[in-house]
Amino acid sequence: MIDLYKILPEEWFEQIGDFSDNEEEFAPIDYDLVTTSLYSGNSFFGPEFVDLLVDDDLQIYYIRSAIRQPIGDYAWTTVWAWYKADVNKYNEIKDIVQEALKDAKDD
């Protein structure tokens, strides 16, 4: 597993829409999963699941983030956020991720 937040610069991505409890509300139309990163929660929020997705036809990378949030004292909900990469960074992101996945496989 790779750390997407560590290897991909934040400024290469722009949020699509707002945070939503509906995963598909701001989702792009077509994409394939590249890899997933998992992050542990802090004292208030639960874990975060981050997927790197790609639309190879349009040459655009996306990040889908799912964060668990408490509702009251006993329940949790998932809040989704979508991010779209700068289209000029497609080849750079592809190279960075392929190298990171290769290194992770070798470990």
Side-chain angles (χ1 to χ4, degrees), residues 21 23 38 54 57 64 80-82 87 89 92 94:
D21 59 0
E23 177 183 2
L38 303 173
V54 67
D57 294 334
R64 172 178 58 197
W80 300 90
W82 285 88
V87 293
K89 299 297 183 182
E92 286 180 76
K94 185 175 182 178

Side-chain angles (χ1 to χ4, degrees), residues 29-98:
I29 293 171
D30 190 27
Y31 53 84
D32 296 309
L33 178 66
V34 176
T35 188
T36 299
S37 297
L38 303 173
Y39 300 93
S40 62
N42 60 29
S43 61
F44 183 72
F45 292 99
E48 181 178 6
F49 302 87
V50 178
D51 296 320
L52 180 66
L53 310 156
V54 67
D55 181 334
D56 281 321
D57 294 334
L58 297 178
Q59 295 190 333
I60 299 173
Y61 279 93
Y62 300 97
I63 288 180
R64 172 178 58 197
S65 172
I67 302 170
R68 301 284 290 158
Q69 283 186 271
I71 300 175
D73 291 336
Y74 303 104
W76 290 81
T77 188
T78 301
V79 177
W80 300 90
W82 285 88
Y83 302 88
K84 177 181 176 182
D86 180 338
V87 293
N88 298 318
K89 299 297 183 182
Y90 176 81
N91 289 323
E92 286 180 76
I93 293 170
K94 185 175 182 178
D95 293 342
I96 290 168
V97 171
Q98 284 178 345

